[in-house]
Amino acid sequence: MRPVDSLAFGGGHAVVDPGTGAPVQFVDEADPARRFLLDADVTPWHSVEHQWGSGHLITDRGAARWHAPARLRCEDGRIEAVHEPLPGVRVEIRRTAHGSLLRECYMLVNDTPDPLTVTGLGIQVPFADLYTTAEESLDQAVNAHLFTGGTWAWALARPMSGTGRSLGLIVREGAVRAYSVESRNVKSNSHVRGHLVLLVTDRARNPEAFGGQPELRLAPGESTTLAWELGWYTSDEDFTRATRPPAELSAYTAELGDSITIQADSVTAPDPDVKVEQTAEGRFRVQASRHGSYTLDIGEGARTEVLFHLPLEEMVRRRVAYITRHQRARERAGLLAHAFVPVDTRTGLTQSTNGWSDWTDGSERIAMPLLLQAAAIRGWADPAEIDPLLDGWSAFACRYLLDDTDAPRRGSQDHDSGPRLYDMPWLARFFHDRYQAHGRADDLERAARILERSYAMGGALHLSIGLSPAVLDVCDRLEAAGQADRAQALRGQLIDSAREFVRLGRKLPAHEVNYEQSIVAPLLDLLSDAHALTGDPVLLDAVAERLPWLLAFGGPQPHARLHGIAIRHWDGFWFGADRLWGDVFPHYWSTLTATTLRRLPAALRTPGTERLAAAILRANMANYREDGSATCAFVMPSTVDGRAAHRADPLANDQDWHLYLWLTSGQATVSPSRD
């Protein structure tokens, strides 16, 4: 029989391993350089156990993985592989190509004379979601958007450029109820997402994940099947229509007191804090009595999650109160006592400085004084209480977070990390906001000197988060204070920086991660702000060309934690107490997409961009609790390298950027419009 080395479907094909019958690469013939799957040539840690369609099984008879088939049959357009991972237990895999679709069917068969209990069943889908360089990522890699909605499950591998066809996987039989990540460790580091695994159940390792993982029972001779279709899609809209959604939600998040309306055959909620009522029109109205995320069961085996949250003002007030009570370094002497620090929300014990840069009292922790100051300016915190804290922090920052050249330190006791350009616009923003509150000339002077020092240190070629917005605001204050020449010089550096990034095109410099959403968002801010200053149509075209790069990081999942939220998969390790790698959803820097969309030139803003920005801002309310405590990272996968995840890290650390950015994005409320 002639071996099959490829399966053609829809103007593309799967390259097949003749020894296993499994795809080793998916190729879109219109974009042949794009890698939809990992390969060992680029990722040397990509091992054979992680080949597409390999998998694992956990049962009451033992556990095993499958990869090389016991029997393999290949013919044109059809592959059949039989695996025997455990005695008397078979996994039968069939792959068939029909026109525009490739269908895969995975059947688990109990051939023993006794019942079989299955508590773990997963299939490898090693999408090439990785960052080598910005240029290679945009040209060759994909963002993999997953929705483990049970019978409503799917995956969408979208080109990182945001252009060209996406590869969509849609479950047509059976259910995917969770996903896990493997190969996430210091070897793979922050530049790769790892090996993704779609799970029928992960009960053995994390029974409560994604609303609960089932136990599968197979009688003698009985089987269970998971089947999906793979196809090429030119837009998210085409793909989501093809998923045949069993429900239509008016929104995925809502304020407490508001409701979410769902068109579906049935909707139930296992949590007693959620009320579901059927309307006279046959729709379902969902409300919650407490702030939090809630699972909804829909129709025959579909599942998703919605969020009901406190109003922004109330959450800011509670968060400010929690920070002032629990996140200050009171035990220290002198100015060091005025620092804001991470806290373990399980115990209320602050996290001490220990040489870990992402746990210092500087860098991302600058969000806390920024939030306190923004709340006081808005009248959402008592200035009489907050001002002394901020006066103390201001003196602390000048003494310990800035050297005598106004270069930043990672923290008051971090003596070996060196200056960090990321911190400079945040510090400048604090002193700008302090000037806005009190009009003290030394605060404006400090803000301007920090920005001037940033450019002197190479900031023009560093896409520091918040740099161009800070420059514009400080320049406006300088001009009003009679320092027009100084303001014009800073604006000129901003414009020169923007023109240089236009010239670089896709060859963006690497930052702390080779390529990521929090590089692209500041890039678009820079180009948008330079266009606002100059009116140059070249800059407008550059924004339009790069906007799809930013939007490609977020997917269309019908889920409160995922819809439009940019993929970020390393902060649980760097910022959390649990030190878990793996997807963080929502991560607060996803808010950058929202604020960037609101800063776009008017010609590029649409009702769609406004709705997406609002949805992202609301989704990040999932990171706070009713008592004002918070998490720096909700690590989404069910398991990461076998460790249970799908939980909030106990450390409140750096997540307050979300609230600060929302407060200062020019629109501190969002309407309950459809996501």
Side-chain angles (χ1 to χ4, degrees):
M1 186 172 295
R2 186 173 68 83
V4 174
D5 58 8
S6 70
L7 292 170
F9 63 103
H13 64 275
V15 180
V16 174
D17 181 338
T20 63
V24 294
Q25 193 55 263
F26 292 105
V27 178
D28 179 2
E29 289 160 12
D31 186 10
R34 181 80 53 192
R35 293 189 306 271
F36 285 85
L37 299 184
L38 297 172
D39 62 75
D41 291 339
V42 177
T43 49
W45 45 266
H46 176 49
S47 56
V48 295
E49 301 95 328
H50 300 286
Q51 188 178 77
W52 181 279
S54 297
H56 74 264
L57 182 64
I58 303 173
T59 77
D60 58 352
R61 304 280 184 78
R65 293 183 181 270
W66 71 81
H67 170 62
R71 296 182 295 281
L72 180 64
R73 177 183 175 86
C74 302
E75 56 190 16
D76 287 345
R78 183 178 180 87
I79 296 172
E80 296 179 358
V82 177
H83 301 262
E84 297 174 350
L86 294 170
V89 179
R90 297 197 319 275
V91 175
E92 298 180 358
I93 303 174
R94 294 180 178 85
R95 297 184 173 95
T96 54
H98 294 291
S100 63
L101 297 173
L102 172 64
R103 179 177 172 85
E104 293 193 318
C105 179
Y106 298 81
M107 179 183 294
L108 175 64
V109 184
N110 177 19
D111 261 348
T112 73
D114 301 306
L116 180 71
T117 300
V118 180
T119 55
L121 179 55
I123 299 171
Q124 299 279 336
V125 288
F127 291 113
D129 195 332
L130 76 165
Y131 312 130
T132 49
T133 67
E135 186 175 22
E136 289 178 354
S137 297
L138 288 162
D139 290 344
Q140 300 174 20
V142 296
N143 292 306
H145 302 295
L146 307 181
F147 177 52
T148 57
T151 56
W152 190 9
W154 50 258
L156 184 66
R158 177 193 286 158
M160 285 194 183
S161 63
T163 58
R165 296 197 300 178
S166 300
L167 179 66
L169 178 159
I170 304 171
V171 170
R172 295 302 191 195
E173 184 177 354
V176 169
R177 300 178 180 89
Y179 78 98
S180 64
V181 172
E182 298 179 352
S183 310
R184 286 315 311 271
N185 48 56
V186 294
K187 175 66 175 178
S188 51
N189 208 275
S190 297
H191 304 300
V192 299
R193 195 169 172 192
H195 288 112
L196 299 174
V197 186
L198 297 182
L199 298 161
V200 176
T201 181
D202 205 18
R203 185 176 181 84
R205 301 183 299 181
N206 196 351
E208 303 304 320
F210 290 90
Q213 297 295 296
E215 185 176 80
L216 308 180
R217 294 185 177 89
L218 299 181
E222 193 175 10
S223 64
T224 186
T225 297
L226 176 66
W228 58 51
E229 292 173 344
L230 291 148
W232 305 101
Y233 297 90
T234 57
S235 70
D236 286 357
E237 293 74 20
D238 288 344
F239 173 72
T240 53
R241 277 194 297 269
T243 66
R244 304 172 200 159
E248 183 178 342
L249 286 74
S250 62
Y252 309 117
T253 64
E255 278 192 10
L256 287 174
D258 292 337
S259 62
I260 294 172
T261 302
I262 303 175
Q263 179 71 56
D265 290 340
S266 66
V267 178
T268 59
D271 197 296
D273 292 321
V274 178
K275 180 172 69 172
V276 180
E277 295 179 324
Q278 192 164 13
T279 69
E281 296 81 14
R283 296 182 175 86
F284 293 87
R285 181 183 296 115
V286 181
Q287 293 180 305
S289 59
R290 298 185 61 184
H291 173 100
S293 299
Y294 299 98
T295 296
L296 294 181
D297 292 312
I298 297 170
E300 296 295 326
R303 173 173 283 186
T304 193
E305 187 174 305
V306 293
L307 168 69
F308 289 90
H309 63 83
L310 289 163
L312 175 61
E313 178 178 349
E314 182 60 28
M315 183 53 74
V316 168
R317 289 183 180 277
R318 294 189 188 196
R319 185 72 192 122
V320 166
Y322 189 94
I323 290 170
T324 58
R325 285 198 308 269
H326 297 289
Q327 297 196 239
R328 296 162 57 197
R330 293 182 177 88
E331 73 280 3
R332 298 175 178 176
L335 289 178
L336 289 172
H338 294 283
F340 294 99
V341 294
V343 66
D344 189 324
T345 59
R346 296 168 297 191
T347 62
L349 187 65
T350 53
Q351 174 63 52
S352 60
T353 299
N354 62 1
W356 193 255
S357 295
D358 291 317
W359 289 359
T360 69
D361 52 14
S363 291
E364 279 79 1
R365 270 59 57 196
I366 297 168
M368 285 184 274
L370 280 170
L371 176 61
L372 266 59
Q373 192 156 245
I377 290 172
R378 186 173 286 275
W380 292 0
D382 183 0
E385 177 186 357
I386 298 302
D387 266 348
L389 301 181
L390 295 180
D391 282 339
W393 193 86
S394 176
F396 158 78
C398 291
R399 171 66 179 83
Y400 288 106
L401 300 185
L402 291 164
D403 67 16
D404 56 7
T405 72
D406 287 307
R409 302 186 181 98
R410 292 293 299 265
S412 65
Q413 297 166 83
D414 187 331
H415 305 300
D416 59 352
S417 294
R420 185 181 188 233
L421 288 171
Y422 273 120
D423 298 357
M424 302 189 82
W426 306 340
L427 289 161
R429 175 62 69 180
F430 172 81
F431 289 105
H432 165 274
D433 291 359
R434 202 82 188 121
Y435 175 76
Q436 181 183 2
H438 294 288
R440 293 192 288 253
D442 57 338
D443 287 324
L444 179 59
E445 175 65 21
R446 178 77 66 176
R449 289 209 313 263
I450 292 169
L451 293 176
E452 290 163 345
R453 182 75 174 115
S454 175
Y455 281 117
M457 293 174 65
L461 284 177
H462 188 273
L463 293 166
S464 304
I465 296 167
L467 178 58
S468 68
V471 168
L472 290 193
D473 287 349
V474 169
C475 285
D476 287 346
R477 302 290 179 187
L478 287 172
E479 198 162 59
Q483 300 186 59
D485 290 345
R486 194 178 187 186
Q488 192 59 29
L490 272 172
R491 291 182 184 125
Q493 289 179 293
L494 184 155
I495 293 166
D496 289 346
S497 172
R499 296 197 189 284
E500 179 61 15
F501 276 107
V502 171
R503 188 190 68 78
L504 289 172
R506 297 187 175 205
K507 296 180 180 179
L508 304 178
H511 290 56
E512 292 181 350
V513 177
N514 290 337
Y515 178 69
E516 54 176 317
Q517 172 254 5
S518 56
I519 287 175
V520 180
L523 171 63
L524 288 175
D525 286 343
L526 171 64
L527 298 173
S528 295
D529 291 340
H531 175 261
L533 291 172
T534 66
D536 187 345
V538 171
L539 294 168
L540 179 63
D541 291 343
V543 176
E545 179 185 349
R546 290 155 179 78
L547 181 58
W549 306 357
L550 180 66
L551 297 178
F553 285 102
Q557 297 97 315
H559 188 289
R561 290 185 176 276
L562 300 172
H563 186 77
I565 300 298
I567 296 168
R568 193 171 172 107
H569 45 74
W570 53 89
D571 292 280
F573 177 80
W574 296 110
F575 290 90
D578 288 342
R579 297 291 179 87
L580 273 172
W581 298 93
D583 307 342
V584 175
F585 286 119
H587 188 272
Y588 64 85
W589 282 141
S590 66
T591 309
L592 293 175
T593 297
T595 56
T596 294
L597 291 176
R598 288 181 168 181
R599 294 183 70 83
L600 288 174
L604 298 178
R605 291 199 300 269
T606 67
T609 62
E610 292 300 310
R611 286 194 296 270
L612 179 59
I616 293 168
L617 292 170
R618 291 197 302 269
N620 274 270
M621 294 295 257
N623 288 331
Y624 313 100
R625 305 183 186 96
E626 285 187 315
D627 65 353
S629 64
T631 177
C632 65
F634 186 94
V635 181
M636 191 74 174
S638 176
T639 48
V640 178
D641 276 345
R643 294 176 59 194
H646 201 74
R647 65 175 186 263
D649 192 277
L651 209 62
N653 188 343
D654 53 332
Q655 66 292 313
D656 295 299
W657 287 105
H658 159 246
L659 291 176
Y660 175 74
L661 289 169
W662 193 348
L663 280 179
T664 57
S665 68
Q667 186 179 345
T669 59
V670 294
S671 62
S673 57
R674 177 180 168 79
D675 289 338

